Amino acid sequence: MSNALKRLMALMPKTPEFIGTITSVNHPNYKVLVSDNSGLVMCTSQVIYKIGDKVFISNNEIKRSAPQGTVVQIEV
């Protein structure tokens, strides 16, 4: 692989990120309903969120808030 391709691959996330809605709050433990209706995921976070907040999750950890609106899946 060329150096440019290695740098590009390094930018790609190693674990997939999903968008979900927080359904249960017991800081630092949260239950998040994934947007593709695949089920509830137990996640942790150092930031306090409220029920109904949309968040990005990856590897059972809440990464950051997600924008409100419709979620569209794009297969790559």
Side-chain angles (χ1 to χ4, degrees), residues 21-35:
T21 305
I22 294 179
T23 60
S24 176
V25 175
N26 184 13
H27 183 72
N29 301 312
Y30 296 89
K31 287 184 184 174
V32 179
L33 179 62
V34 180
S35 292

Side-chain angles (χ1 to χ4, degrees), residues 2-34:
S2 70
N3 288 338
L5 183 55
K6 283 183 184 179
R7 288 192 305 261
L8 178 63
M9 293 302 289
L11 293 174
M12 302 299 277
K14 304 300 182 241
T15 57
E17 283 192 351
F18 299 99
I19 295 178
T21 305
I22 294 179
T23 60
S24 176
V25 175
N26 184 13
H27 183 72
N29 301 312
Y30 296 89
K31 287 184 184 174
V32 179
L33 179 62
V34 180

Side-chain angles (χ1 to χ4, degrees), residues 2-3 12 16 20-21 26 35-36 38 42-44 50 56-57 59-60 62 66 70:
S2 70
N3 288 338
M12 302 299 277
T21 305
N26 184 13
S35 292
D36 64 0
S38 60
M42 285 292 295
C43 297
T44 60
K50 299 178 294 199
F56 283 101
I57 60 171
N59 203 20
N60 292 358
I62 297 174
T70 348

Side-chain angles (χ1 to χ4, degrees), residues 19-21 35 52-56 64-71:
I19 295 178
T21 305
S35 292
D53 287 350
K54 285 194 173 193
V55 292
F56 283 101
R64 60 193 173 279
S65 294
Q68 298 295 323
T70 348
V71 176

